[in-house]
Amino acid sequence: MSTSNALDGLTQALRKLPGVGAKSAARMAFHLLQHDKPGALQIARALEHAVQSIRHCALCNTLSEQELCVTCASHERDHSKLCVVETPADQAALERTLAYRGLYFVLMGKLSPLDGIGPNDIGLQKLFDRVVPRDEDGQPVPAASREVQEVILATNFTAEGEATAHVIGQALKSRGVQVTRLARGVPVGSELEYVDLGTIAHALTDRR
Amino acid sequence: MSTSNALDGLTQALRKLPGVGAKSAARMAFHLLQHDKPGALQIARALEHAVQSIRHCALCNTLSEQELCVTCASHERDHSKLCVVETPADQAALERTLAYRGLYFVLMGKLSPLDGIGPNDIGLQKLFDRVVPRDEDGQPVPAASREVQEVILATNFTAEGEATAHVIGQALKSRGVQVTRLARGVPVGSELEYVDLGTIAHALTDRR
């Protein structure tokens, strides 16, 4: 089709972007090479820098450049509250509301039995160990001595998100943890990332 | 907003892509870093390789890795026909029809007086020199001795594209060149890149 292997290669590579098909990829490639070569190099360097420097926060799993992310490392956050979300994008949506000052745990996924994704695949044990640590004898620390006093389930209000919240909620309640869920102010069937800030803030306040 | 400078930098950089806003850029960044780091590196390398290796064909202006693009360097193309298009994307659309075997001249733009883009900004002189070369005495070569016998105007059927075609057509006709225009089978107001192949092929056959 095209007269250049480098151009074909770039068009193919750009199709790796979510929501970008053959025509959009070609349009992007032509635009960058005709009108914005500095922009193309900026994207290339940002991609390489991000891939090299971004890893998962040791405590909450979110994307971070440090061993601990900014939120987990902050002394101004309320360490007694832990908000469980599916993805860093959902976490970012909650942060934008400015209505929550606790910590997060990012699942990096959700239970999805149809896709073969079970509790072990989304790090639920890591979450349980964090909320209910064990003492030197291997016994669960009593509720009053735990750092995390409340777990707020903020998985998406989709079928998989609800199932994930249900499984986590049941497991933590059986260990004597106070568990709340974002209020149903969030429209059922939608994804947190795309909900307006006011609705998310309302849902945080009305958590049950 | 985000907890990482590298992530913010990547999101900002991705907004350089045409048609990508803040939300899409964030979604792309999260997707690549969570699910497709190899894809991210592939895009980065393809961008760098393309920016470094792709330049403009010395003869037709299109994007090419060589001094001469594959089309201009081919001995199987009809060198007596020259098709004038606005962009490499338009050229690619014409090539996909398989209905044209001549050469191209890519303007890399169009006349747009409102944006201050005149004949000198889109390399019209280079086109005129190519179609009507001058002999040793600086006189235009007579029509019978010229390599290019027909110029096909395939600028877009928009106001600027029509104006560009008109200006080029008038200038070349006054120099004794046979000038044709893609037939009006192409819907008025649309852009070549997005027209179906059959319509483009028909318009090539019916050029006037």
Side-chain angles (χ1 to χ4, degrees):
Chain A
M1 295 295 194
S2 166
T3 56
S4 158
N5 289 329
L7 193 59
D8 284 342
L10 177 57
T11 305
Q12 282 300 317
L14 287 172
R15 295 187 61 180
K16 299 270 178 185
L17 293 171
V20 174
K23 282 229 163 171
S24 298
R27 188 176 180 79
M28 287 174 174
F30 281 130
H31 170 83
L32 290 175
L33 293 172
Q34 273 181 261
H35 304 298
D36 197 6
K37 283 192 177 184
L41 289 178
Q42 185 185 338
I43 296 172
R45 293 200 196 100
L47 281 166
E48 281 175 350
H49 178 59
V51 167
Q52 280 158 12
S53 64
I54 289 184
R55 47 186 170 171
H56 294 287
C57 169
L59 218 47
C60 77
N61 270 345
T62 198
L63 300 173
S64 167
E65 284 174 83
Q66 319 297 329
E67 173 80 10
L68 286 188
C69 72
V70 175
T71 309
C72 285
S74 168
H75 295 295
E76 295 175 2
R77 311 288 302 211
D78 180 354
H79 284 233
S80 70
K81 290 188 175 60
L82 192 70
C83 183
V84 178
V85 294
E86 292 177 19
T87 66
D90 295 336
Q91 179 189 12
L94 282 164
E95 281 294 281
R96 281 198 293 275
T97 70
L98 302 177
Y100 179 67
R101 299 301 301 161
L103 299 185
Y104 291 92
F105 188 89
V106 182
L107 295 171
M108 288 291 173
K110 58 202 165 200
L111 291 179
S112 185
L114 288 179
D115 300 321
I117 298 176
N120 293 331
D121 298 308
I122 59 172
L124 286 193
Q125 194 56 50
K126 184 176 173 184
L127 170 62
F128 298 156
D129 291 342
R130 163 114 179 249
V131 176
V132 187
R134 294 179 179 265
D135 60 18
E136 290 134 17
D137 304 328
Q139 295 301 309
V141 167
S145 315
R146 296 171 192 161
E147 183 178 42
V148 177
Q149 290 295 315
E150 178 185 356
V151 171
I152 303 166
L153 299 175
T155 53
N156 284 319
F157 282 71
T158 56
E160 292 98 339
E162 292 277 25
T164 308
H166 180 76
V167 168
I168 296 175
Q170 292 295 314
L172 288 179
K173 278 176 194 160
S174 75
R175 290 168 169 84
V177 180
Q178 185 193 353
V179 179
T180 56
R181 177 86 167 111
L182 277 198
R184 282 226 172 253
V186 177
V188 174
S190 65
E191 308 214 336
L192 271 187
E193 193 180 347
Y194 296 102
V195 174
D196 66 278
L197 306 186
T199 306
I200 297 183
H202 198 76
L204 264 169
T205 310
D206 287 350
R207 67 180 183 269
R208 55 175 175 77
Chain B
M1 295 298 192
S2 166
T3 56
S4 158
N5 288 330
L7 193 58
D8 283 342
L10 177 56
T11 305
Q12 283 300 317
L14 287 171
R15 295 186 62 180
K16 300 268 178 185
L17 293 170
V20 173
K23 283 229 163 173
S24 298
R27 188 177 179 80
M28 287 173 173
F30 281 130
H31 171 82
L32 290 175
L33 293 172
Q34 273 181 260
H35 303 300
D36 198 5
K37 284 192 175 183
L41 289 178
Q42 185 186 338
I43 295 172
R45 293 198 197 102
L47 281 166
E48 281 176 350
H49 178 59
V51 167
Q52 280 159 13
S53 63
I54 290 184
R55 47 185 169 171
H56 294 286
C57 169
L59 217 47
C60 77
N61 270 345
T62 199
L63 300 173
S64 166
E65 284 174 83
Q66 319 297 331
E67 173 80 11
L68 285 188
C69 72
V70 175
T71 309
C72 285
S74 168
H75 294 295
E76 295 175 0
R77 311 286 302 211
D78 180 354
H79 285 233
S80 71
K81 289 188 175 60
L82 191 70
C83 182
V84 178
V85 293
E86 292 179 19
T87 66
D90 295 336
Q91 178 189 12
L94 281 164
E95 281 294 281
R96 282 198 292 275
T97 70
L98 301 178
Y100 178 66
R101 300 301 302 160
L103 298 185
Y104 291 92
F105 188 89
V106 182
L107 295 171
M108 287 292 173
K110 58 203 166 202
L111 291 179
S112 184
L114 288 178
D115 301 320
I117 299 176
N120 293 330
D121 299 307
I122 58 172
L124 286 193
Q125 194 56 50
K126 185 176 172 185
L127 170 63
F128 298 155
D129 290 342
R130 163 112 179 252
V131 176
V132 187
R134 293 178 179 268
D135 61 19
E136 291 135 18
D137 304 328
Q139 296 300 311
V141 166
S145 315
R146 296 172 191 160
E147 184 177 42
V148 177
Q149 290 296 316
E150 178 184 358
V151 171
I152 303 165
L153 300 176
T155 53
N156 285 319
F157 283 72
T158 56
E160 292 98 338
E162 292 278 25
T164 308
H166 181 76
V167 168
I168 296 174
Q170 291 296 314
L172 288 179
K173 278 176 194 160
S174 76
R175 289 167 168 85
V177 180
Q178 186 193 352
V179 179
T180 57
R181 176 87 169 110
L182 277 199
R184 283 226 172 248
V186 177
V188 175
S190 65
E191 308 214 334
L192 271 188
E193 192 179 348
Y194 299 103
V195 174
D196 67 277
L197 306 186
T199 306
I200 297 183
H202 198 76
L204 264 169
T205 310
D206 286 350
R207 66 181 184 269
R208 56 173 174 77

